[in-house]
Amino acid sequence: MAKSSSQRIIATPSSYAKEHYLYVQEVGTLQSLEPHISQRQNLSSCLFFIVLNGSGYVSYDGNRFIITAGDCVWLDCTKPYSHESSANDPWSLMWVHFYGKEIPYFYSNFLKQSRSFLFHPENTLAFMNILQQIYQIHSSKTSLMELFANRCLTDLITLCFSENQGNQEISSIPEKMKQVNDYLENNYAQKINLEDLSSRFYISKFHLSREYKKIYGVTIGSDLTSKRISHAKSMLRFSDASIENIAFDCGFQNAGYFIKVFKKYENMTPLEYRRKW
């Protein structure tokens, strides 16, 4: 007797897609008819699926989790994992296996921002629509199939970040963190350190550091440097100010350090940037 009823498309990406895109390996739907454990590891792949109805279990990172309708799961398949439909309430799923050279970095950043591989989004329809698009794209097999799939997978990952437990729409960002971000934007030319910010905003520097990175995805120091570089780029393009003056006006201690940091961010010196732009 069949353990499940499924529709699936197995894709074989081109060498160009493997080198430059996010690409689909398999995509489909599943209606479980009886309990069956799917268990894998050491796959160069990610698995994303959404439970349409029913319930089941996922084992990952040494723990077993109950998942129900509306839950989404994003797994790194290089690690051991398994999933199994409930015997009493068999599930139906929409799913995609996908990969790309940048996937390990996306996934690592996803977890570093205190997000979970298992989450229950408010907007399940958005995820379903993307999975349907991916399936339709690979059914039609147009000449732009891999490019369209890359776009859909990028949208899927973006949704995972924005709809997860760490969802940080602008309206939900704590007022204190907004104030810190605004302060950095308006005072980037000043000497700023974590201790000063902690005293100014009456918040523990450890809590401040942790919450800022959780919300904005970068450390305070990295964000401050990025803001300084952005303002320096504007001055390089739209003023005749010297490199020394730009360095000082953007909060760098001297021109030599400014050039070093600028080159790290832009892969060119400030003068090369000024000439090119």
Side-chain angles (χ1 to χ4, degrees):
M1 178 182 291
K3 295 181 174 66
S4 64
S5 173
S6 64
Q7 290 181 312
R8 115 181 27 229
I9 295 175
I10 297 177
T12 303
S14 67
S15 57
Y16 185 88
K18 287 184 176 181
E19 184 66 24
H20 300 286
Y21 293 161
L22 302 178
Y23 55 86
V24 172
Q25 297 163 313
E26 295 184 6
V27 59
T29 60
L30 168 73
Q31 174 60 64
S32 180
L33 303 178
E34 62 180 79
H36 171 66
I37 297 178
S38 179
Q39 188 171 4
R40 299 186 179 94
Q41 63 179 330
N42 297 324
L43 292 180
S44 295
S45 179
C46 274
L47 169 62
F48 175 87
F49 67 86
I50 181 170
V51 182
L52 303 180
N53 51 63
S55 61
Y57 309 90
V58 168
S59 295
Y60 188 64
D61 271 348
N63 297 298
R64 192 168 187 252
F65 304 86
I66 298 174
I67 53 178
T68 58
D71 284 342
C72 290
V73 178
W74 183 12
L75 299 175
D76 172 6
C77 300
T78 61
K79 297 181 178 181
Y81 74 92
S82 67
H83 50 78
E84 176 186 7
S85 177
S86 165
N88 299 323
D89 187 23
W91 63 20
S92 61
L93 312 174
M94 297 180 70
W95 55 272
V96 61
H97 270 284
F98 64 99
Y99 206 61
K101 293 176 67 175
E102 300 301 317
I103 284 297
Y105 305 102
F106 278 126
Y107 198 75
S108 175
N109 190 36
F110 179 76
L111 297 180
K112 283 179 180 177
Q113 294 186 30
S114 300
R115 290 169 165 86
S116 171
F117 74 90
L118 168 60
F119 57 98
H120 192 100
E122 294 182 9
N123 186 5
T124 57
L125 184 60
F127 288 92
M128 293 168 61
N129 287 340
I130 290 179
L131 293 178
Q132 288 172 346
Q133 289 176 39
I134 293 173
Y135 190 91
Q136 291 167 359
I137 287 167
H138 282 78
S139 297
S140 62
K141 298 186 183 300
T142 68
S143 59
L144 296 178
M145 177 182 72
E146 293 180 326
L147 183 61
F148 289 154
N150 174 73
R151 181 187 65 186
C152 288
L153 291 171
T154 302
D155 289 345
L156 177 62
I157 290 174
T158 303
L159 271 180
C160 287
F161 273 85
S162 62
E163 291 281 348
N164 203 315
Q165 292 174 346
N167 185 8
Q168 293 296 341
E169 297 296 336
I170 292 175
S171 60
S172 70
I173 296 176
E175 184 61 31
K176 185 79 73 173
M177 293 300 105
K178 288 182 185 178
Q179 292 173 3
V180 173
N181 185 269
D182 289 343
Y183 181 81
L184 296 179
E185 183 62 46
N186 294 324
N187 297 275
Y188 60 89
Q190 307 302 317
K191 182 178 180 181
I192 299 174
N193 57 48
L194 195 57
E195 286 75 15
D196 294 336
L197 291 174
S198 175
S199 298
R200 178 177 293 275
F201 292 98
Y202 304 101
I203 183 172
S204 157
K205 64 180 181 180
F206 302 106
H207 181 72
L208 172 59
S209 179
R210 182 179 65 249
E211 289 302 303
Y212 196 92
K213 185 173 182 180
K214 178 180 177 181
I215 291 168
Y216 293 105
V218 293
T219 65
I220 290 176
S222 294
D223 197 26
L224 178 59
T225 301
S226 179
K227 293 179 190 303
R228 287 170 170 168
I229 291 294
S230 294
H231 285 283
K233 286 159 68 175
S234 180
M235 292 185 70
L236 286 166
R237 291 181 63 181
F238 304 115
S239 81
D240 295 325
S242 68
I243 298 300
E244 289 77 10
N245 286 341
I246 291 174
F248 178 77
D249 290 344
C250 292
F252 293 95
Q253 56 193 15
N254 57 62
Y257 181 65
F258 166 56
I259 293 170
K260 179 181 178 180
V261 174
F262 192 96
K263 191 171 183 179
K264 178 181 178 181
Y265 272 72
E266 298 295 322
N267 292 317
M268 65 182 80
T269 67
L271 285 178
E272 288 172 333
Y273 179 87
R274 172 173 270 172
R275 287 195 296 267
K276 287 179 179 292
W277 285 88

